[in-house]
Amino acid sequence: MKRILLLLSLALLLCGCSRGETGPGIPAEEGIAPYELSQDQQELLGAFGMEDSAGLFAFLAPEEAITIEVTACRLTDAGTWEVTGSGAMSIGAERQPVSSLSGTIAMELREDYSIDFNINCAGRGSFSSEKIEFKAEALGSTKAFLTQFQPIRLNEEIPLAIMVYDSGTSMRSYTPGDYFDVSLFEGMDLVQAVTVKFSDKEIGE
């Protein structure tokens, strides 16, 4: 039920951004940033207890970009990132049905450690990452989402979120930028990350 409510609320929040056009909440310059919610919208998420489990982002891609790809991954024991789910949308070389990429990304963290995604750009696409079996009891956890405008560089990953869970009694704070230094997560039981990449290539190239 919670997932249905979130998707319905997102449809209302972001309905003005479905055509890939610059609109309310979309950055005025090329980049990605947290979607700026109104007080009523913040209260809506709060009413459903989703203020800490939902991430909303708005983007305006460089003119050369034709594909957006969102990826969820987890940190392995070997210290490498393993993809647990990904989704992409492209306007193709023909740039249809819009001429440029702009829109929103919504993500919801689930109790089974899977993540639901909605990409709203020249239409809507959704996908979910894999469920993760986490046998330890998570006594500590932290979830950090992108909080500031981030310029977009073609074909380079931008971390949107970091989620850390541990059975210990103490935990430092993290930021999405820590994605690039896995040594910071040493000793943590479960680490997940979400990234986005904008490309000048079509899906599969």
Side-chain angles (χ1 to χ4, degrees):
M1 179 61 120
K2 181 179 283 190
R3 179 183 180 187
I4 294 173
L5 289 172
L6 177 59
L7 295 181
L8 288 174
S9 64
L10 289 175
L12 293 173
L13 294 175
L14 310 177
C15 62
C17 308
S18 61
R19 298 181 179 274
E21 300 171 350
T22 300
I26 303 300
E29 56 183 306
E30 295 174 355
I32 186 167
Y35 186 89
E36 295 186 8
L37 298 175
S38 68
Q39 184 66 33
D40 288 345
Q41 292 165 345
Q42 292 175 1
E43 291 176 357
L44 178 61
L45 289 182
F48 297 133
M50 299 177 186
E51 61 270 34
D52 295 324
S53 62
L56 304 171
F57 312 95
F59 62 87
L60 176 63
E63 184 177 352
E64 299 84 357
I66 60 172
T67 298
I68 175 177
E69 181 178 15
V70 178
T71 300
C73 53
R74 66 175 296 181
L75 191 62
T76 68
D77 292 339
T80 58
W81 291 108
E82 175 185 62
V83 173
T84 58
S86 66
M89 295 184 71
S90 179
I91 57 176
E94 298 81 12
R95 296 182 176 271
Q96 294 292 333
V98 293
S99 60
S100 62
L101 286 177
S102 67
T104 57
I105 301 166
M107 57 177 285
E108 180 191 1
L109 309 180
R110 308 287 286 167
E111 291 182 359
D112 59 9
Y113 304 103
S114 65
I115 308 172
D116 292 339
F117 295 92
N118 282 268
I119 305 173
N120 190 21
C121 173
R124 287 195 178 96
S126 61
F127 71 97
S128 297
S129 66
E130 301 171 1
K131 298 178 182 178
I132 295 177
E133 187 176 352
F134 182 47
K135 297 180 179 179
E137 182 181 0
L139 298 178
S141 66
T142 183
K143 305 173 183 70
F145 297 98
L146 181 73
T147 59
Q148 296 181 334
F149 176 86
Q150 180 75 34
I152 294 173
R153 295 181 176 83
L154 284 180
N155 307 311
E156 292 187 11
E157 288 182 304
I158 299 174
L160 295 181
I162 286 284
M163 292 73 66
V164 184
Y165 307 88
D166 191 62
S167 56
T169 57
S170 63
M171 179 181 295
R172 55 158 287 178
S173 60
Y174 295 94
T175 69
D178 293 335
Y179 169 82
F180 296 110
D181 185 1
V182 296
S183 67
L184 296 173
F185 305 110
E186 185 175 356
M188 297 294 101
D189 290 332
L190 174 62
V191 182
Q192 296 174 277
V194 174
T195 66
V196 62
K197 181 169 64 174
F198 297 86
S199 171
D200 56 357
K201 298 177 175 55
E202 296 196 50
I203 298 174
E205 287 188 2

